[in-house]
Amino acid sequence: TEPEGAFYVFPDVSYFFGKTINGYEIKDATDFSMFLLEKALVATVTGDAFGSPNCIRFSYAASETEIEEAMKRIKNALSE
């Protein structure tokens, strides 16, 4: 979904709930957010505080180079 304002994106990550990725059990968005922090070194915020418990929040208030690097790290962490 294309954002309508601000500089945040809220992807739905519920696809990963109930799965284990590289030894990390993903029960909810908090687990997925922690997985990204620990495995990909990418910080996100869960959507719980914003009324979207199946989502995580990415800020794209960064350079294009930094965003591309973060997405590359996430892709690598999920594909291992």
Side-chain angles (χ1 to χ4, degrees):
T1 305
E2 188 172 330
E4 295 179 14
F7 43 86
Y8 300 105
V9 175
F10 283 88
D12 184 321
V13 295
S14 61
Y15 168 82
F16 297 99
F17 297 177
K19 297 183 187 227
T20 300
I21 308 169
N22 295 320
Y24 292 84
E25 184 180 355
I26 310 297
K27 296 178 294 240
D28 54 26
T30 299
D31 287 342
F32 191 75
S33 189
M34 290 304 298
F35 164 76
L36 292 180
L37 181 61
E38 294 174 13
K39 189 70 177 164
L41 303 176
V42 174
T44 63
V45 177
T46 66
D48 289 324
F50 308 99
S52 299
N54 290 339
C55 299
I56 57 174
R57 183 174 86 161
F58 288 106
S59 168
Y60 57 90
S63 72
E64 190 172 334
T65 302
E66 291 172 315
I67 294 169
E68 288 173 355
E69 176 64 24
M71 294 301 109
K72 183 173 93 178
R73 289 179 186 183
I74 291 169
K75 179 181 177 183
N76 290 339
L78 291 172
S79 64
E80 288 183 0

